[in-house]
Amino acid sequence: RQDPYCKFFLGKNVRRGKTIKQGGSNPYFGEEEFEFWVDQTCWHEELLLELYDEDVGTDDLIGACQFSILEFLRMPPGKKVKRWVP
């Protein structure tokens, strides 16, 4: 079974999520949240999301996607949105 975790990249900033032990092919990541400081150096960049399988030695890349954060920057402060990213 896979032990998946997520990595998020925005500009030079990187965040890593918790590993879901024995998560398999349909893991539940819970309500984990990440914050990024967005300024003039990275507001125009796309957020890159990578999903890995944690292994002894080298972790395997399961998949990746990227999307613009501009629509989130237009939202009122404090508003949360759940979004499906294919």
Side-chain angles (χ1 to χ4, degrees), residues 27-71:
Y28 176 69
F29 289 97
E31 301 299 322
E32 196 168 9
E33 294 183 11
F34 299 93
E35 291 184 2
F36 287 90
W37 182 259
V38 179
D39 62 14
Q40 69 272 13
T41 63
C42 65
W43 68 267
H44 59 282
E45 298 201 25
E46 292 195 330
L47 180 72
L48 171 62
L49 164 62
E50 295 180 341
L51 184 65
Y52 287 90
D53 176 20
E54 187 175 76
D55 290 324
V56 175
T58 304
D59 296 346
D60 299 320
L61 178 66
I62 298 171
C65 68
Q66 60 187 59
F67 54 91
S68 173
I69 64 168
L70 290 176
E71 69 178 278

